[in-house]
Amino acid sequence: MNYKTTLIVITLFAAYFILGLMIHSDYGVSWDEPISRENGRVNVKYIGEKFAPFLLTKDIQLAPDLHHWVDKDYGVAFETPMVVFEQLLNLEDSKEIYAFRHLATFIVSFLGVVAIFAISNRIYGDYRLAILAVLIMIFSPRMFAESFYNSKDIVFMAFTAMAMYSLTIFLIRPSLQSAIIHGLFSALAIDVRIMGVVLVACTLVAIVFRAGKQEIAPGKAMLMVMIYTTTCSVLVVAMFPFLWDDPFGNLTIALNNMSNFRWPGAVFYLGDFIPADDLPWHYIPVWILITTPPLFSMLMFVGVFQTIRQLVTSKSFPWTDDRQMLELIFLCLLVAPIVTVIMLSSVMYDGWRQMYFVYPAFILMAIKGAG
């Protein structure tokens, strides 16, 4: 980018960041936030009792024990640091605590938007399309509002976007450094929501295809896979105290609980109350369409159509260059989680917030449609 372009981009992000700083404290406490914060307190207590019990404050000592906590299988890569910062900053008043959490949630969301810009700019080399990607995120009403108080789904979406950028770099230029960095961001996503394992699956499938197409030497591909999976596995366990006692067994429990979530309520959908474990297949697609500006959805459908067409007509299946490879991966990251949720009849509630992490891929498909 030249000087003028760089100035435009910096101005856009500066304005967005300053706006967030100005309004982050205007939002109230969402119904999930106290529970999310308690997840962090439970895990800080568990970690402190193991390594430095003398550092635990009376407040943390009163938190429930991890092994008796109903939500012990929730990832806490964001919540645990939040509680640590609370303690370091001596935040005791609820208003101060949640204002701080809202600021932190916004900052992570902001970094996710930066990642989406970086991916778009890297793939298409056109700053205008990359800026459009940023504007789509900012002008998506649900995403903008919840980027201040949804420390589960928006934070997961942001870390997914960061992992998608590290995936982009890793696949284009596989190296020791890019494998480790991608392993880190994949682990962060998984340790916010376990559904982040889809990033690992996409990474491994793409590497195998690249080796099969001789775009990467098989020996190098195997080495990259080993470095990536080792880094990711070690960090997933390290940042997820629930896994410490039995990494494989407890990870299996977390995955099973994700597909059969323990919420017995009903949701209001299309004029009726429907049990959350018996939702119709179209629940997620409909919620996405009715809460996303129509223009963005139209661009996404165009991008999806173009990507499928290029897959069918490609002279070298399944892609002919890096751009097509990444577009196909982003299509999979958009479609595969939705199809999986439909096939498993997974419990969903509060609209489609558990699926917000597909929105970066949605945006990238829209950018392709706009291009």
Side-chain angles (χ1 to χ4, degrees):
M1 295 188 296
N2 58 36
Y3 175 78
K4 181 180 178 180
T5 302
T6 302
L7 183 60
I8 292 172
V9 172
I10 291 175
T11 301
L12 171 64
F13 278 111
Y16 176 39
F17 190 74
I18 292 170
L19 175 63
L21 294 180
M22 291 173 60
I23 68 174
H24 75 276
S25 59
D26 293 343
Y27 290 86
V29 178
S30 64
W31 77 306
D32 257 3
E33 282 189 277
I35 298 174
S36 297
R37 177 173 173 261
E38 191 71 355
N39 286 338
R41 294 177 69 248
V42 167
N43 281 270
V44 168
K45 177 183 177 180
Y46 180 77
I47 296 168
E49 288 178 339
K50 277 189 172 294
F51 299 106
F54 58 90
L55 291 177
L56 293 179
T57 63
K58 291 182 179 180
D59 175 62
I60 297 299
Q61 291 173 3
L62 294 174
D65 293 328
L66 177 64
H67 293 301
H68 298 100
W69 181 239
V70 64
D71 289 334
K72 57 182 176 289
D73 55 344
Y74 268 52
V76 289
F78 179 78
E79 298 299 342
T80 297
M82 287 301 96
V83 173
V84 172
F85 280 120
E86 271 184 37
Q87 301 299 311
L88 293 175
L89 296 173
N90 293 317
L91 300 179
E92 297 179 354
D93 180 72
S94 293
K95 185 175 181 180
E96 290 181 340
I97 288 171
Y98 286 104
F100 170 72
R101 288 178 57 86
H102 291 176
L103 176 60
T105 302
F106 169 72
I107 290 173
V108 173
S109 175
F110 175 84
L111 294 175
V113 176
V114 172
I116 292 173
F117 173 89
I119 296 170
S120 303
N121 195 53
R122 178 87 185 205
I123 294 176
Y124 299 107
D126 187 338
Y127 81 95
R128 293 168 299 181
L129 289 176
I131 287 178
L132 177 60
V134 173
L135 294 177
I136 289 177
M137 180 62 80
I138 294 175
F139 288 104
S140 296
R142 284 209 164 202
M143 302 307 168
F144 180 82
E146 294 192 36
S147 66
F148 294 95
Y149 58 81
N150 189 339
S151 62
K152 289 181 180 178
D153 310 293
I154 292 293
V155 168
F156 180 38
M157 180 184 72
F159 279 132
T160 298
M162 296 178 212
M164 289 169 65
Y165 179 60
S166 65
L167 171 62
T168 299
I169 302 301
F170 177 51
L171 291 179
I172 293 176
R173 293 186 178 179
S175 65
L176 172 64
Q177 182 181 17
S178 63
I180 292 174
I181 292 174
H182 184 44
L184 166 63
F185 283 106
S186 297
L188 284 168
I190 293 170
D191 281 346
V192 173
R193 278 201 181 276
I194 201 71
M195 190 66 170
V197 294
V198 68
L199 292 161
V200 178
C202 284
T203 300
L204 297 181
V205 170
I207 288 290
V208 168
F209 265 99
R210 293 212 74 183
K213 288 168 61 63
Q214 298 184 338
E215 295 173 350
I216 305 176
K220 182 177 182 179
M222 184 177 296
L223 177 61
M224 293 298 102
V225 166
M226 289 177 60
I227 295 171
Y228 167 68
T229 55
T230 300
T231 301
C232 184
S233 300
V234 169
L235 292 176
V236 164
V237 174
M239 294 186 292
F240 200 162
F242 173 60
L243 303 181
W244 290 359
D245 292 339
D246 182 6
F248 182 77
N250 287 348
L251 181 62
T252 302
I253 291 173
L255 288 168
N256 288 335
N257 289 346
M258 173 201 70
S259 59
N260 298 284
F261 187 67
R262 50 185 177 274
W263 195 72
V267 299
F268 189 70
Y269 177 65
L270 297 183
D272 292 309
F273 284 97
I274 304 174
D277 59 356
D278 191 30
L279 295 172
W281 68 267
H282 46 77
Y283 178 81
I284 292 298
V286 168
W287 262 111
I288 292 175
L289 291 176
I290 65 176
T291 57
T292 303
L295 176 60
F296 303 164
S297 295
M298 289 174 58
L299 290 175
M300 180 274 294
F301 281 121
V302 172
V304 168
F305 173 77
Q306 292 175 342
T307 302
I308 293 174
R309 184 178 62 182
Q310 79 185 20
L311 173 65
V312 173
T313 61
S314 177
K315 296 179 181 179
S316 178
F317 183 85
W319 56 69
T320 57
D321 54 34
D322 290 344
R323 172 175 160 177
Q324 288 187 5
M325 172 188 67
L326 292 167
E327 289 171 344
L328 186 57
I329 289 172
F330 299 150
L331 175 62
C332 290
L333 287 172
L334 171 61
V335 175
I338 297 174
V339 172
T340 300
V341 164
I342 292 172
M343 292 179 63
L344 294 176
S345 297
S346 299
V347 171
M348 294 282 127
Y349 55 91
D350 290 349
W352 62 289
R353 68 183 181 89
Q354 292 93 342
M355 301 298 294
Y356 282 175
F357 70 97
V358 305
Y359 205 56
F362 178 108
I363 290 175
L364 291 165
M365 284 291 99
I367 293 307
K368 178 175 175 61

